[in-house]
Amino acid sequence: MMPLDGRRVLVMGLGLFGGGVGAVRFLCREGARVTVTDLRTADALRESLRTLESLPVVYRLGGHEAEDFRAADLIVANPGVPRSSPFLNVAGKRGIPVTTEICLFAERCRAPVVGITGSSGKTTTTSLVGEMMRRGNPGTMVGGNIGGSLLDELDEITADTRVVLELSSFQLDRLADLQWSPQTAVITNFAPNHLDIHGSLEAYKTAKKQIIAHQDVRDVTVLNGDDPEVRRWPGDGRRIVFSTQPASGSDVYVDDGEIRHRIGRSEQTVCPAGAVALPGGHNLSNALAACAAALSNGVTEADIAAVLRTFKGVPHRLERVAEIRDVTYYNDSIATSPDRTQVALSALPPGVVLIAGGYDKGLAFDALGRQIGRGVSHLILTGRTADAIAASVPAGSPTRILRVNSLDDAVTAAARRAGQGNTVLFSPASASYDCFRNYAERGERFRQLVLNLRSCDG
C-alpha cells in the first residue's frame, strides 16, 4: 500500500452516493493533499460538498484538467469511470497509479468479507445478509455499492468483525488489480448490463467473475443454480448452490413449500417459502442466496427465518408506494435494464400499467417487448429509449402504447388509465441520466408524484 501522508491525491468523480465523500474524508485523515475533480458543477454536488466543508480540499468542478492528473501521485477514480478515459490515460503515461474507494478499503480491511454481486438482486440480497448476520453479530457492517463508505469505519473493524459488501461490476473490475476476492462470494444472477461502459458482454462477464477469480479452497462460492450461466462459473472456493427447486446438487432450495438446506449436516428446514415477506419469485431467489451466505457464516436457521419473515425490502426495488382509488402503485426505479423490468412484471398480476423509458445504455429490449405484449394493458413511455421499447412490442399486441414528455406526465396518464384493482408499475428498463442524477432521485420523484395523487384525491 502506498503511504498517503503528504501525497498529492486526485479524487476523480466525487459522486452523490457517498463513496467519493468517504474516500476524501479517509485521504484527509491519512494526511494526503487532496484535490477533487468532477464533471458536475458545485450546485449539482452540493449535498456531497456540504459534508466536506471543514476539510482542506481543492476543488476542480464542472470539468477535468489534464494537468491535475499529471501532477498527482495517486488517482482515486469513481468506479464508473472507464479505464479508457483519456484523463486516466494521461496519468497512465506517467506511471501514476489509479485506485478506487473500494480498493482502498479492501487493502486495509482486517475482517472477513461476504461480497455479493449480480446483474439484479444484489442490493436486496446484501441487505438481507447484513440483517441476518447482525442477529448474532451486532457489529456487522454493510457497505460497498449499497451506498456510503466503510472507510470511515476502518478503525473499528477487527478480525472478529463481519463485513458485507455489495459489489458492482465496476468495483470488481478495479479490485482485479489487487487480485482480491471476498472470503464468501455470492452471485445472484447474470444478464447483459452496462455495455455502454464495459464495451462488450464478455468484458462485463469478466468483471463479474472477479468476485471468485482469486478465491482459494478456504473460501465459499454461492451460486444461483437456476441461472444457466452462473452455475457454470468455475472457482476454487467451496461451492454452495441455491435453487428455487429441489434440484439435484442444490444446497439451499425449496421443497414442498419449505426453504431447506443441506449445508454441513443433514437436511434442515429454515421456514416456509410463503413466509418470506418480500414479494415475487425473484425475491425468493434473493432470499435463498442470503440464506446460503448466512448459513455458511454460522447464522442459525432461527435467526435467518426471523429476518425473512420481517424484512420488507429496499427503497426503489418493487417498492409498494400507495393504494389510491383501488389502484396500487409500485416504484421499481432500480430497474435500469430490461431484464430487471421483466422480473418486476413477473412478480405482479397481468394487466399492469407500465411506465418505462430513460437513458439508453445500448441494451436490447426484444424479450421485454414480448413480455409487455403478453401482460401489460397500457405502456407509457418517456425518455430516449421510448422508441426502442415501443418497437420491441409485437405487432398486433393488445397493449396500448402512449408516449409522454416527462415522468410527471407519465404518472398523470397512468392514473387516468388504471382501473379499479389495477397496478401501476414504474420500472424504466433504462438508466436515469437523461433527466435525473441517479435512479434514487428518479424513484423519489415518482414516489412524490404518486403521493400527490393521494392529496388530490382528498
Side-chain angles (χ1 to χ4, degrees), residues 1-2 4 19 22-23 26 76 99-115 143-145 148-155 157-158 163-168 170-183 210-211 214:
M1 292 182 290
M2 175 188 289
L4 297 171
F26 168 74
V76 179
T99 189
T100 61
E101 178 270 338
I102 199 68
C103 288
L104 290 172
F105 177 77
E107 286 179 309
R108 294 161 175 80
C109 179
R110 292 169 287 178
V113 173
V114 178
N145 193 59
S149 173
L150 291 184
L151 285 171
D152 287 336
E153 317 299 333
L154 267 177
D155 290 343
I157 295 175
T158 70
V163 173
V164 184
L165 296 178
E166 177 186 332
L167 296 171
S168 71
F170 305 141
Q171 290 172 317
L172 288 166
D173 182 57
R174 284 294 180 182
L175 285 166
D177 297 342
L178 302 181
Q179 297 188 338
W180 180 94
S181 293
Q183 285 75 20
Q210 292 305 312
I211 197 168
H214 307 289

Side-chain angles (χ1 to χ4, degrees), residues 133-142 156-157 160-163:
M133 294 185 70
R134 282 188 182 116
R135 302 280 295 194
N137 193 325
T140 296
M141 296 185 181
V142 178
E156 300 175 29
I157 295 175
D160 295 323
T161 308
R162 293 297 176 265
V163 173

Side-chain angles (χ1 to χ4, degrees), residues 94-431:
R94 294 209 166 196
I96 300 166
V98 177
T99 189
T100 61
E101 178 270 338
I102 199 68
C103 288
L104 290 172
F105 177 77
E107 286 179 309
R108 294 161 175 80
C109 179
R110 292 169 287 178
V113 173
V114 178
I116 297 159
T117 198
S119 298
S120 61
K122 57 185 177 291
T123 299
T124 297
T125 304
T126 300
S127 300
L128 281 168
V129 173
E131 290 301 311
M132 291 171 180
M133 294 185 70
R134 282 188 182 116
R135 302 280 295 194
N137 193 325
T140 296
M141 296 185 181
V142 178
N145 193 59
I146 203 168
S149 173
L150 291 184
L151 285 171
D152 287 336
E153 317 299 333
L154 267 177
D155 290 343
E156 300 175 29
I157 295 175
T158 70
D160 295 323
T161 308
R162 293 297 176 265
V163 173
V164 184
L165 296 178
E166 177 186 332
L167 296 171
S168 71
S169 59
F170 305 141
Q171 290 172 317
L172 288 166
D173 182 57
R174 284 294 180 182
L175 285 166
D177 297 342
L178 302 181
Q179 297 188 338
W180 180 94
S181 293
Q183 285 75 20
T184 302
V186 181
I187 302 102
T188 61
N189 48 51
F190 181 82
N193 204 349
H194 302 302
L195 303 189
D196 56 329
I197 301 297
H198 288 290
S200 70
L201 182 61
E202 197 58 36
Y204 174 55
K205 186 188 302 184
T206 297
K208 285 293 191 185
K209 283 184 174 180
Q210 292 305 312
I211 197 168
I212 58 175
H214 307 289
Q215 287 191 310
D216 61 34
V217 294
R218 297 167 295 178
D219 299 325
V220 173
T221 303
V222 177
L223 300 172
N224 185 347
D226 297 331
D227 188 308
E229 170 67 36
V230 169
R231 69 188 179 203
R232 295 197 305 264
W233 287 9
D236 293 329
R238 177 168 64 95
R239 289 168 67 92
I240 296 178
V241 177
F242 65 91
S243 172
T244 56
Q245 305 296 324
S248 175
S250 296
D251 303 287
V252 181
Y253 49 92
V254 177
D255 189 13
D256 197 24
E258 301 279 347
I259 296 177
R260 295 175 178 165
H261 77 91
R262 49 172 77 94
I263 295 177
R265 55 185 187 274
S266 61
E267 183 179 69
Q268 300 288 319
T269 297
V270 177
C271 68
V276 177
L278 293 169
H282 65 298
N283 276 321
L284 177 58
S285 183
N286 294 335
L288 295 174
C291 285
L295 287 164
S296 65
N297 281 273
V299 182
T300 67
E301 290 87 356
D303 283 344
I304 290 170
V307 172
L308 293 180
R309 292 175 187 274
T310 57
F311 186 81
K312 301 297 185 183
V314 184
H316 315 302
R317 292 156 179 83
L318 204 58
E319 172 193 15
R320 189 179 185 277
V321 177
E323 182 177 320
I324 302 170
R325 294 191 293 275
D326 202 28
V327 174
T328 305
Y329 292 80
Y330 283 93
N331 168 23
D332 194 44
S333 183
I334 189 62
T336 60
S337 62
D339 65 290
R340 284 179 177 263
T341 298
Q342 287 182 258
V343 167
L345 287 170
S346 298
L348 298 173
V352 167
V353 177
L354 174 64
I355 301 173
Y359 176 81
D360 190 355
K361 295 197 290 184
L363 304 176
F365 296 100
D366 298 353
L368 174 61
R370 291 191 292 272
Q371 187 170 356
I372 289 171
R374 292 192 301 268
V376 171
S377 62
H378 293 79
L379 173 62
I380 301 171
L381 294 167
T382 185
R384 297 182 188 177
T385 58
D387 289 344
I389 297 173
S392 73
V393 180
S397 163
T399 303
R400 298 179 182 179
I401 301 176
L402 174 67
R403 291 175 177 79
V404 295
N405 294 324
S406 67
L407 181 56
D408 297 44
D409 293 341
V411 171
T412 300
R416 288 173 178 167
R417 285 157 178 79
Q420 287 191 338
N422 279 168
T423 299
V424 172
L425 170 65
F426 176 48
S427 189
S430 312

